[in-house]
């Protein structure tokens, strides 16, 4: 089943986000290589693809996991959460409807 993982950035976390980005992306690429990733990306803090020093407010990942528990375990090990980039992470089941 698909699960939505939404990490909400802590205030002033851009420096930690930058340092931990390679490890964060490596885990997401593993999902992609396994054919389990639907989409992933950050939420800019301003209306710009490159928000510069404004940074980001969070990140969204939609991927396939065996269960909600497995999705939560995966999210709990994310380098951004471990490093304090994320103040909060939400994991929910997700049902894709469109596009077909």
């Amino acid at each position: 089943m698909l699960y939505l993982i939404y990490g909400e950035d802590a205030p002033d976390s851009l420096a930690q986000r930058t340092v931990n980005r390679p490890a964060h992306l490596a885990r997401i690429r593993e999902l992609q290589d396994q054919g389990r990733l639907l989409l992933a990306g950050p939420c800019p803090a301003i209306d710009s693809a490159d928000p510069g020093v404004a940074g980001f407010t969070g990140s969204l990942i939609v991927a396939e996991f065996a269960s909600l528990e497995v999705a939560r375990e995966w999210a709990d090990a994310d380098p951004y959460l471990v490093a304090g980039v994320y103040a909060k992470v939400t994991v929910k089941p997700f049902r894709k409807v469109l596009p077909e």
Side-chain angles (χ1 to χ4, degrees), residues 19 26 28 31 38 67 85 97 99:
V19 167
I28 296 171
L31 293 174
L38 183 64
S67 68
V85 173
V97 175

Side-chain angles (χ1 to χ4, degrees), residues 16-92:
Q16 281 296 336
R17 180 182 265 273
T18 302
V19 167
N20 289 280
R21 187 171 189 261
H24 171 76
L25 290 179
R27 292 183 79 237
I28 296 171
R29 284 192 182 103
E30 287 178 13
L31 293 174
Q32 182 178 14
D33 292 346
Q34 296 165 2
R36 297 170 43 207
L37 182 66
L38 183 64
L39 64 90
C43 301
I46 60 173
D47 190 13
S48 173
D50 181 3
V53 296
F56 300 89
T57 60
S59 300
L60 173 67
I61 299 166
V62 179
E64 183 179 344
F65 293 92
S67 68
L68 180 58
E69 181 179 338
V70 172
R72 283 186 177 141
E73 288 172 1
W74 188 91
D76 286 345
D78 190 295
Y80 279 179
L81 182 62
V82 173
V85 173
Y86 292 154
K88 178 182 175 185
V89 174
T90 301
V91 181
K92 297 181 179 185

